[in-house]
């Protein structure tokens, strides 16, 4: 209601077992923070629930296994000159992939929405260990937000596609070996843009783990006090009332693609691996169409179904 000054309620979750079991909490961000900051670090296993159809800031979950990439300069894909070399991989500078990713974000924001980039928009969290490079990026555009996590995911996918289309050796580093070593996935986890996603909070670790998410010293968050950082790093909490960043550079749709850009479909578009799939959503770009699939995770790169990663097709 206009003029309503009541605190915005945010849905949080606390992980209570290694099986992923969670309990849920609905609270204002301020009240939650007062209890959260008082917890011993070993008891912080908390997540923000990015609610379906709720406006949100742009966010990324970045990860790869260093032992699968003994020579990968991961830092070149983020911000330069960060000395991050896990003991098991003395040649790895894990932050390097983020520079490239943020450059891609800046380029697409300018081209699609005429939004100039400023380094203060990015906040970076790190919980890397010698066996896993793990970071979160949050991009907050002043006075604006994406319509929901699905829209943010489409934009993230577009950034990746544009970077990979460059064909450079640096961009090729965005494709990393999976943890099993039997296939490839992207440096950006594209599975975090689903409905009601749980996204780990600042200062939290996974249950049974000790590596918690902490701000790096390279972005605007380095100068924030802990409570301000907590508020700034919420993905959807408190976003209400901001203008929308929509369109993602093309026409969008849900379900079967019907006659858009010369692509015809009836929902079912692929049945490899013995399972009939369908189009979950689609995005038309200049010269190509991106089909985001549901019901089938069969991937030609690994010649089998993915266990958790989604797939998409790009038609030129």
């Amino acid at each position: 209601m206009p003029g309503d000054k009541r605190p915005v309620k945010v849905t949080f979750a606390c992980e209570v077992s290694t099986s992923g079991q969670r309990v849920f909490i609905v609270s204002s961000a301020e009240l939650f923070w007062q209890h959260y900051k008082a917890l011993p670090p070993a008891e912080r296993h908390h997540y923000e629930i990015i609610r379906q159809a709720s406006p949100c800031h742009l966010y990324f979950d970045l990860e790869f296994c260093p032992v699968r990439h003994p020579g990968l300069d991961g830092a070149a894909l983020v911000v330069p000159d960060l000395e991050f070399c896990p003991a098991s991989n003395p040649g790895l500078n894990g932050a390097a992939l983020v520079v490239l990713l943020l450059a891609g974000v800046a380029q697409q924001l300018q081209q699609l929405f005429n939004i100039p980039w400023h380094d203060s928009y990015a906040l970076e969290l790190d919980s890397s260990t010698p066996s896993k490079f793990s970071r979160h990026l949050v991009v907050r555009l002043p006075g604006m937000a994406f319509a929901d996590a699905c829209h943010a995911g489409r934009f993230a996918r577009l950034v990746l596609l544009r970077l990979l289309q460059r064909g450079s050796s640096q961009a090729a580093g965005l494709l990393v070996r999976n943890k099993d070593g039997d296939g490839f996935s992207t440096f950006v986890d594209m599975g975090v843009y689903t409905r009601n996603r749980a996204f780990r909070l600042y200062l939290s670790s996974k249950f049974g783990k000790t590596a918690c998410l902490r701000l790096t010293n390279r972005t605007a968050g380095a100068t924030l006090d802990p409570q301000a950082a907590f508020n700034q790093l919420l993905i959807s909490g408190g976003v209400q009332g901001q203008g929308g960043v929509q369109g993602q550079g093309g026409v969008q749709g849900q379900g079967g693609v019907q006659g858009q850009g010369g692509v015809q479909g009836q929902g079912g578009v692929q049945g490899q691996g013995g399972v009939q799939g369908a189009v979950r959503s689609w995005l038309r770009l200049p010269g190509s169409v991106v089909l985001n699939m549901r019901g089938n995770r069969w991937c030609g790169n690994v010649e089998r179904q993915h266990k958790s990663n989604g797939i998409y097709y790009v038609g030129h």
Side-chain angles (χ1 to χ4, degrees):
M1 295 177 61
D4 192 344
K5 300 298 184 182
R6 290 177 295 180
V8 174
K9 294 296 190 292
V10 184
T11 303
F12 300 97
C14 178
E15 200 169 22
V16 295
S17 76
T18 54
S19 67
Q21 183 180 1
R22 297 181 174 101
V23 296
F24 295 88
I25 306 157
V26 178
S27 170
S28 68
E30 182 176 359
L31 180 60
F32 179 86
W33 169 254
Q34 297 306 316
H35 292 274
Y36 183 65
K37 71 176 183 179
L39 290 173
E43 295 180 16
R44 295 188 189 128
H45 311 298
H46 293 73
Y47 297 75
E48 177 188 2
I49 303 300
I50 305 172
R51 297 295 299 273
Q52 179 182 358
S54 295
C56 67
H57 299 294
L58 182 62
Y59 61 100
F60 296 92
D61 185 4
L62 313 174
E63 60 184 25
F64 68 86
C65 297
V67 293
R68 299 292 182 188
H69 302 273
L72 179 62
D73 184 7
L77 302 169
V78 193
V79 176
D81 301 327
L82 179 70
E83 295 182 359
F84 174 78
C85 299
S88 63
N89 247 319
L92 178 68
N93 186 351
L97 282 173
V98 186
V99 170
L100 180 63
L101 181 62
L102 285 179
V105 169
Q107 183 179 43
Q108 295 307 315
L109 286 174
Q110 181 67 56
Q111 289 183 358
L112 300 179
F113 311 116
N114 198 29
I115 298 174
W117 175 258
H118 194 280
D119 289 344
S120 63
Y121 297 165
L123 300 164
E124 183 186 38
L125 294 164
D126 180 71
S127 65
S128 298
T129 66
S131 61
K132 184 179 181 181
F133 176 89
S134 179
R135 296 202 178 181
H136 286 181
L137 277 180
V138 178
V139 176
R140 294 178 61 103
L141 303 174
M144 290 174 283
F146 284 82
D148 56 28
C150 184
H151 280 79
R154 289 181 185 137
F155 181 82
R157 184 173 288 110
L158 177 61
V159 170
L160 277 176
L161 286 173
R162 290 293 187 243
L163 289 172
L164 290 170
Q165 285 172 352
R166 295 180 182 180
S168 66
S169 58
Q170 189 181 37
L174 291 165
L175 294 175
V176 297
R177 285 195 176 276
N178 60 28
K179 61 183 179 182
D180 297 323
D182 58 356
F184 289 86
S185 59
T186 60
F187 174 62
V188 179
D189 182 355
M190 294 306 299
V192 300
Y193 303 104
T194 53
R195 294 177 296 176
N196 299 321
R197 186 73 181 191
F199 204 64
R200 188 154 47 112
L201 288 175
Y202 166 58
L203 299 180
S204 272
S205 61
K206 295 179 180 179
F207 190 91
K209 306 289 185 180
T210 58
C212 64
L213 285 165
R214 297 187 181 278
L215 285 162
T216 68
N217 61 3
R218 300 173 306 124
T219 60
T223 61
L224 295 174
D225 66 72
Q227 183 173 2
F230 174 82
N231 290 327
Q232 289 286 305
L233 288 161
L234 290 176
I235 306 301
S236 62
V239 173
Q240 288 82 350
Q242 304 213 35
V245 177
Q246 301 187 34
Q248 317 310 330
V251 180
Q252 300 165 9
Q254 302 288 333
V257 182
Q258 304 284 345
Q260 294 291 338
V263 178
Q264 299 287 338
Q266 299 299 326
V269 297
Q270 59 110 349
Q272 298 188 73
V275 180
Q276 182 63 52
V279 176
R280 182 193 303 276
S281 61
W282 57 271
L283 169 64
R284 189 176 70 188
L285 303 170
S288 63
V289 175
V290 180
L291 305 178
N292 184 29
M293 308 307 298
R294 62 177 172 82
N296 192 337
R297 291 175 172 161
W298 194 92
C299 174
N301 293 324
V302 298
E303 297 185 344
R304 61 169 173 79
Q305 295 265 357
H306 281 294
K307 296 177 181 179
S308 58
N309 290 343
I311 64 167
Y312 58 89
Y313 292 114
V314 180
H316 296 286

